[in-house]
Amino acid sequence: MARSSADDMELKRQCEAAIDGSGGGKQKVVLCIRVAKSRAVWGKPAKLGRHMAKPRVLAISTKSKGQKTKAFLRVLKYSHGGVLEPAKIYKLKHLSKVEVMQSDASGCTFMLGFDNLRSQSVAPPQWTMRNKEDMNRVIYCILNLCKDVLGSLPKVVGMDIVEMALWAKEHTVVKSKQEVTPDGHGPVLLPDTVTEIESEGTIERDLVFQAEEEDMEALLGTYLLGFGDAEAFSERIKRELLALESANVHAILETESVVDEVLRGLEVATICMEDMDEWLAIFNVKLRHMREDIESIEYRNNKLEFQSENNKALVQELDNLLEHMQIPTEHESALTVGSFDEDNMSKNIEACEWLTSAIRDLELPNLDPSYAKMRAVREKRAEFILLRCTFVRRASEFLTQYFPTLIDNMINDQNNFSQKGQIKRPDHSELRYKCRVYARLLQHIKSLDKNCMGPLRISYCQSLNQLLRKEVSTFANELCGSIKVTRNSGIPLEGPLPIQMGSYADSKAVSEAYAKLINVFIPLLVDESSFFSHLMCFESSSESSDDAQSTSSGRTSSVSRTSGTASNAIEMAMLNDCLNNMLKGIQDDFFAIIDWAANTDVWCCITMYGITDRYLSGQKAENAAFVHILLGDLESRINSYFNVFVDDACFQVEKYEKTARTFGVLAYIPRFSQLAMRLEEYVHGNSRDLIDLSYTKIVSIMFVILEKIAQVEPKYADIMLLENYASFQNGLYDLANSIPTLAKFYHQASEAYEQACLRHINMVIYIHYEKLFQFARRTEELLISKMPPEEIPFQIGMSKGELRKVLKSTISNLDKTQSAMYKKLQKNLTVEELIPSLWDKCKKEFLEKYASFVKMVHRIYPSETVPSEIDMQKILASLEML
């Protein structure tokens, strides 16, 4: 079992140092132990993850001040540097309860309750020990200090104090240092260390007072039950039962006179009850007649009151009806001839609210059906409807002219747009402020007649579309004109390299121009879409993001998905149509800057793709559905340019199949590493997937073309493969460590390299040791044909003499053969750096084949002596030294 932290003297010294450093004075640390702190809600078990356990150290200390000794419970925590520092301090004299938590199945969690805490509604912390031994040790130490220093014990809940005494008797006894307190309470027990059991009486004295123990023994001694003989005890019980029954019968017989007296009293009471019943019957008849008279009077009275109340209610209802039917003079003038200037909007709004309420009150079910048939009500309702049509027509005509005029003024003011040498960010705050003035008016117009909202919405969208397109166009043109960069076509995989190849820093301004255009106008378009949907009172504007889809032509359009009700579906269709008109054609100006950037530096497509995808993933809610479609079109445009670049790179690789030589490293192998390093410079945001797809497409074509070119000359195929795969690995070693896609192709090239090396080395070995391994191959063929090993030496060409000749020719010319093998490896390799590693692989493969040859000889020719594998390895090493 692991050593308890309570025995850790170094921990004890750290606790003493932390207490001294905190200004607590010199204190004696009685016990310190590592615990886990957690907190739960009153009456509920702690939930994992909600209140995570924290490592703490509990230290029980004492302090002598003058003639008094005080006991403390200190909580220490670890700082960032791993140093203990004080966190909490509790005085044991306030300890009121020690509770072992039953919710912990391990039984190693307890809680200490103090009666001086400020907030009793907050559950005190829970302390979890490593095992029950540590928990018993801490609780036992606390109880001892409370008893010896304070003279009282706290309430113990969740554990048996007798079990605690038994545990202490079985496991530990406290060696103590006694200090006499000046207040006359006797020696103070200060636990120091825990050792083997020395005295059983010490533990019992700690938990049960001697006087209590004597009282218990005296009480138990008063009961002499005589359990010596079971049959005698049974007979004794029977005799006592019979005696008890006899006593009960005797008592019943003695109370006969009392029973007679009770019966006489009951008879008298019965006669009295019969007389009272007759009186009550008489009173009941009289009361019934009185009740009938009262009910008749109340019926006539209620009928009169009901008639009076109905008359009052009818008069009140007619007054209210007349009040609703009367048009106030100020409202009538506002609805018929009033102005729509900003100063008069409050009057117009009040008139709209009154008219809406008046029409609603004269309609079912707000109006009683009996009133609806009255001619005066019908005539007044027709008058209100005519007044509503007049006001709606006047307001619609005003707003249909007001919004386009307001936007045309902005279009005609050139200071609102980017100019030569000055890029201006669009500002629509003033436009929106002036439109918000009529927001409540638009709401009332829709509530009065929703059919008139269509022309208003279309007029607003068409005018705003012209403003947005001009802002995007001037902004994009000025961005392109302010940037001067040279055209960069990238790193070709075929043909001569350009004299001067650009870098990411050279074309960074192009990507930044696109990013600036997106950062300025995408939030603007989102805000305008949201502002329009709220201004024009669309009910289902929050659902528009999920109901718009892109058509194959690339125009912004949408298909409304069926929503909860038919009215919402109609609203969604109208909103989609309006947003389509507002953003129609704006994608052309974005396409223009994409075309310019791609023609200037095709590598910028990677950065632009990442920028677009970042916005695309964040614009899928609220009223940004059409902006999401626009971003999707931009991403498709960028992707098409980059795909052309990737397809061109693949085409350049495919051209090697007809023009490349069949030896040496192909030019596109090292150039691809330069291409990959350049591509990684442009990775931005979520463009990682785009780059990985291009890697997959290009490298797959590279490997296929390499295999085809190598098969043109089968004699040199393996040499060409191993040189090119080695060059591929050398070029991509650093990138493969950080890019999973390139790492996959790196491992694929590594496997192909090893296979090509193995084939080439085996060919070289079989050429120079043909006799040796041909003899071994014939032997294997005979074994495969199930010929017994002892019969093989008697076959033609397989005798022991033939074996000796083969070994003699091999070993005698070993130096020349090894030299010829080395020259053979050097002969056709164009990459000299590969020769040392290939030569090591060649020697290793030869020794493995020779080892299998030696095993075969020992099996079939046991009497023949051949050099072992170790001997052959030493011979080869000696030849290397020469």
Side-chain angles (χ1 to χ4, degrees):
M1 181 180 292
R3 180 185 177 188
S4 173
S5 59
D7 300 327
D8 191 349
M9 299 305 296
E10 179 62 27
L11 178 63
K12 188 173 182 180
R13 285 192 293 270
Q14 293 178 6
C15 292
E16 291 177 346
I19 294 172
D20 293 342
S22 64
K26 188 64 177 180
Q27 296 187 13
K28 173 67 175 179
V29 176
V30 178
L31 178 67
C32 59
I33 192 166
R34 294 185 179 93
V35 299
K37 174 188 176 183
S38 59
R39 189 180 295 276
V41 182
W42 283 111
K44 296 183 180 179
K47 295 183 178 179
L48 182 61
R50 189 170 183 178
H51 302 286
M52 297 298 292
K54 302 176 182 178
R56 294 290 187 268
V57 174
L58 285 182
I60 302 172
S61 63
T62 60
K63 179 180 180 181
S64 297
K65 184 177 181 181
Q67 297 180 352
K68 295 183 180 179
T69 300
K70 296 183 180 180
F72 302 94
L73 174 65
R74 290 183 175 267
V75 182
L76 299 97
K77 64 180 181 180
Y78 287 95
S79 63
H80 295 292
V83 180
L84 283 176
E85 59 182 17
K88 292 283 185 179
I89 180 171
Y90 302 95
K91 295 182 180 180
L92 287 184
K93 70 177 182 179
H94 296 295
L95 180 63
S96 61
K97 182 173 69 172
V98 178
E99 181 178 357
V100 178
M101 307 308 296
Q102 301 299 322
S103 58
D104 186 2
S106 65
C108 298
T109 302
F110 67 94
M111 180 178 69
L112 300 177
F114 294 88
D115 56 10
N116 64 333
L117 294 181
R118 293 182 178 178
S119 177
Q120 295 293 338
S121 61
V122 179
Q126 299 176 2
W127 311 102
T128 303
M129 299 296 179
R130 186 185 62 174
N131 50 43
K132 287 187 177 180
E133 299 294 331
D134 287 351
M135 186 186 72
N136 290 341
R137 198 166 179 177
V138 172
I139 295 178
Y140 178 68
C141 181
I142 292 174
L143 294 178
N144 272 338
L145 280 176
C146 290
K147 177 176 176 295
D148 293 334
V149 176
L150 307 176
S152 62
L153 290 175
K155 181 180 179 182
V156 179
V157 181
M159 68 180 298
D160 192 348
I161 196 168
V162 177
E163 292 183 359
M164 171 66 74
L166 294 176
W167 174 86
K169 180 183 293 186
E170 293 177 359
H171 293 82
T172 62
V173 69
V174 180
K175 286 185 178 181
S176 59
K177 296 179 181 179
Q178 295 184 348
E179 296 179 2
V180 178
T181 60
D183 54 0
H185 287 86
V188 177
L189 186 59
L190 300 179
D192 187 10
T193 58
V194 179
T195 62
E196 295 298 327
I197 183 68
E198 294 181 357
S199 174
E200 297 180 356
T202 304
I203 309 305
E204 298 174 355
R205 185 177 67 252
D206 290 338
L207 300 180
V208 181
F209 292 105
Q210 184 66 29
E212 295 175 354
E213 184 178 358
E214 293 175 358
D215 292 341
M216 290 180 185
E217 291 177 356
L219 182 61
L220 292 175
T222 59
Y223 292 93
L224 299 177
L225 300 180
F227 288 155
D229 188 0
E231 293 181 359
F233 181 72
S234 177
E235 290 296 331
R236 174 185 171 186
I237 295 299
K238 289 179 181 180
R239 290 194 302 271
E240 292 180 357
L241 179 61
L242 291 175
L244 182 60
E245 291 177 351
S246 299
N248 291 337
V249 172
H250 180 71
I252 292 172
L253 294 176
E254 288 180 348
T255 58
E256 182 178 1
S257 58
V258 179
V259 172
D260 293 339
E261 185 177 354
V262 172
L263 291 176
R264 287 193 297 271
L266 290 175
E267 185 176 358
V268 173
T270 302
I271 296 172
C272 293
M273 292 298 294
E274 291 175 354
D275 296 339
M276 186 176 293
D277 183 60
E278 293 179 359
W279 297 341
L280 291 176
I282 296 172
F283 291 148
N284 187 31
V285 173
K286 293 181 179 182
L287 289 174
R288 183 171 68 249
H289 293 308
M290 292 176 65
R291 185 166 54 250
E292 291 175 355
D293 296 339
I294 293 172
E295 288 178 355
S296 177
I297 296 171
E298 287 181 350
Y299 174 75
R300 291 194 299 271
N301 187 34
N302 291 340
K303 191 173 181 180
L304 293 174
E305 289 181 358
F306 180 71
Q307 186 176 1
S308 176
E309 290 178 358
N310 286 339
N311 292 333
K312 290 180 180 179
L314 179 59
V315 173
Q316 181 68 29
E317 190 68 22
L318 291 175
D319 291 340
N320 293 336
L321 183 60
L322 290 174
E323 183 180 354
H324 286 302
M325 295 172 61
Q326 185 67 32
I327 304 176
T329 305
E330 65 276 9
H331 293 342
E332 184 177 8
S333 61
L335 292 172
T336 54
V337 296
S339 173
F340 291 99
D341 294 339
E342 183 176 349
D343 297 336
N344 296 327
M345 284 310 300
S346 59
K347 296 181 181 179
N348 292 329
I349 296 301
E350 291 177 1
C352 287
E353 291 176 349
W354 178 89
L355 181 60
T356 303
S357 175
I359 294 175
R360 183 175 60 250
D361 292 341
L362 294 180
E363 292 178 346
L364 296 175
N366 298 321
L367 184 65
D368 189 272
S370 59
Y371 292 159
K373 298 178 182 180
M374 296 175 63
R375 186 178 66 177
V377 173
R378 289 187 279 110
E379 291 177 353
K380 184 58 69 172
R381 183 174 180 275
E383 182 181 353
F384 286 168
I385 292 176
L386 180 61
L387 187 61
R388 180 188 67 182
C389 295
T390 302
F391 176 78
V392 169
R393 176 181 55 78
R394 293 178 58 249
S396 300
E397 291 176 354
F398 170 78
L399 293 177
T400 304
Q401 297 176 0
Y402 177 77
F403 289 140
T405 303
L406 188 63
I407 296 175
D408 289 342
N409 292 334
M410 292 187 64
I411 295 176
N412 295 330
D413 188 359
Q414 297 299 324
N415 295 326
N416 295 326
F417 304 98
S418 299
Q419 300 178 13
K420 188 174 182 180
Q422 180 183 6
I423 298 177
K424 185 175 181 60
R425 181 186 294 267
D427 185 7
H428 292 182
S429 59
E430 184 178 357
L431 172 64
R432 293 176 188 173
Y433 172 76
K434 293 181 178 180
C435 291
R436 286 193 187 98
V437 174
Y438 299 93
R440 292 190 63 189
L441 179 61
L442 287 169
Q443 294 175 2
H444 286 290
I445 291 176
K446 182 180 179 181
S447 64
L448 293 173
D449 186 5
K450 64 172 62 177
N451 294 327
C452 69
M453 293 296 294
L456 274 174
R457 293 165 175 172
I458 294 175
S459 175
Y460 180 87
C461 289
Q462 291 176 349
S463 301
L464 188 62
N465 176 262
Q466 297 177 7
L467 176 63
L468 291 174
R469 291 203 61 180
K470 185 173 181 180
E471 288 175 339
V472 175
S473 177
T474 56
F475 194 90
N477 292 337
E478 188 58 33
L479 275 178
C480 296
S482 62
I483 297 174
K484 304 297 182 182
V485 293
T486 57
R487 191 173 184 276
N488 182 17
S489 59
I491 300 175
L493 297 180
E494 185 264 341
L497 289 172
I499 299 176
Q500 183 177 2
M501 294 185 296
S503 63
Y504 173 69
D506 298 332
S507 57
K508 183 179 180 181
V510 178
S511 302
E512 291 178 348
Y514 176 78
K516 189 172 184 179
L517 181 70
I518 293 294
N519 293 337
V520 170
F521 282 97
I522 292 302
L524 177 65
L525 296 179
V526 173
D527 293 343
E528 287 298 334
S529 300
S530 177
F531 177 76
F532 170 77
S533 65
H534 290 89
L535 178 66
M536 293 300 173
C537 309
F538 283 97
E539 297 177 358
S540 303
S541 60
S542 62
E543 303 173 3
S544 63
S545 62
D546 298 327
D547 298 325
Q549 301 295 331
S550 175
T551 60
S552 58
S553 62
R555 293 185 303 105
T556 44
S557 63
S558 67
V559 178
S560 177
R561 190 176 59 213
T562 303
S563 56
T565 61
S567 61
N568 283 342
I570 296 174
E571 285 287 304
M572 280 307 309
M574 296 178 64
L575 176 60
N576 292 336
D577 186 56
C578 292
L579 291 179
N580 186 19
N581 291 330
M582 186 173 70
L583 302 179
K584 184 178 180 180
I586 201 171
Q587 67 273 15
D588 296 337
D589 299 307
F590 284 89
F591 288 162
I593 197 168
I594 291 176
D595 298 342
W596 167 77
N599 292 327
T600 302
D601 187 357
V602 70
W603 303 80
C604 292
C605 292
I606 303 172
T607 307
M608 292 191 297
Y609 184 90
I611 296 170
T612 307
D613 191 74
R614 177 170 60 86
Y615 272 96
L616 189 62
S617 61
Q619 302 295 337
K620 294 184 179 181
E622 298 297 329
N623 302 290
F626 284 89
V627 179
H628 182 264
I629 295 172
L630 172 63
L631 290 170
D633 293 340
L634 298 181
E635 189 177 68
S636 299
R637 187 86 165 195
I638 296 169
N639 201 12
S640 64
Y641 274 106
F642 189 74
N643 287 337
V644 171
F645 166 74
V646 174
D647 293 340
D648 182 62
C650 294
F651 177 71
Q652 294 177 21
V653 174
E654 292 173 351
K655 290 171 64 177
Y656 277 84
E657 185 178 358
K658 298 179 180 179
T659 61
R661 58 186 181 180
T662 57
F663 61 89
V665 178
L666 297 175
Y668 68 75
I669 296 294
R671 289 189 185 183
F672 175 75
S673 63
Q674 301 177 17
L675 176 67
M677 287 187 290
R678 183 69 185 279
L679 287 174
E680 291 302 319
E681 294 179 0
Y682 288 83
V683 174
H684 185 278
N686 298 329
S687 59
R688 177 80 269 163
D689 295 338
L690 181 68
I691 299 299
D692 289 343
L693 289 175
S694 65
Y695 286 155
T696 302
K697 190 172 183 179
I698 296 174
V699 176
S700 300
I701 293 295
M702 289 171 55
F703 286 174
V704 170
I705 297 302
L706 175 59
E707 295 289 342
K708 290 182 179 180
I709 295 175
Q711 296 305 320
V712 174
E713 290 290 341
K715 181 177 180 181
Y716 304 107
D718 293 331
I719 297 176
M720 185 173 186
L721 289 176
L722 67 90
E723 287 183 337
N724 281 274
Y725 282 125
S727 176
F728 182 85
Q729 294 179 76
N730 292 335
L732 294 179
Y733 179 78
D734 295 331
L735 292 177
N737 289 329
S738 58
I739 303 172
T741 302
L742 291 180
K744 179 184 69 174
F745 289 111
Y746 182 89
H747 293 307
Q748 182 179 342
S750 177
E751 293 176 0
Y753 170 78
E754 293 296 335
Q755 294 174 2
C757 287
L758 184 62
R759 291 194 299 269
H760 183 61
I761 289 171
N762 286 335
M763 182 268 294
V764 173
I765 292 174
Y766 278 115
I767 289 176
H768 294 84
Y769 293 95
E770 181 179 3
K771 293 182 180 181
L772 180 66
F773 295 114
Q774 188 176 7
F775 187 87
R777 186 164 53 250
R778 289 201 304 270
T779 305
E780 291 177 359
E781 291 174 355
L782 292 175
L783 290 173
I784 293 172
S785 63
K786 298 182 180 181
M787 178 178 289
E790 60 271 10
E791 296 182 6
I792 294 178
F794 299 101
Q795 303 299 316
I796 299 175
M798 302 300 294
S799 63
K800 296 180 180 180
E802 292 294 332
L803 175 62
R804 296 189 191 101
K805 291 180 182 180
V806 170
L807 288 173
K808 183 178 179 181
S809 63
T810 300
I811 297 174
S812 61
N813 298 320
L814 189 61
D815 54 345
K816 297 180 180 180
T817 305
Q818 290 292 105
S819 177
M821 284 176 59
Y822 187 79
K823 291 178 180 179
K824 180 66 176 177
L825 288 176
Q826 278 184 321
K827 182 177 180 182
N828 297 315
L829 283 177
T830 60
V831 182
E832 297 182 357
E833 291 81 1
L834 297 177
I835 294 177
S837 62
L838 284 177
W839 178 240
D840 293 337
K841 291 178 182 292
C842 185
K843 292 187 292 183
K844 181 179 179 181
E845 186 67 21
F846 170 73
L847 289 174
E848 291 178 357
K849 293 182 180 298
Y850 182 76
S852 61
F853 174 78
V854 171
K855 292 180 181 178
M856 180 271 297
V857 171
H858 289 166
R859 178 182 178 187
I860 301 174
Y861 306 94
S863 60
E864 293 297 319
T865 302
V866 296
S868 64
E869 179 186 3
I870 298 176
D871 295 336
M872 181 59 70
Q873 188 175 1
K874 292 180 179 179
I875 294 173
L876 295 178
S878 62
L879 293 176
E880 290 290 335
M881 295 176 62
L882 296 176

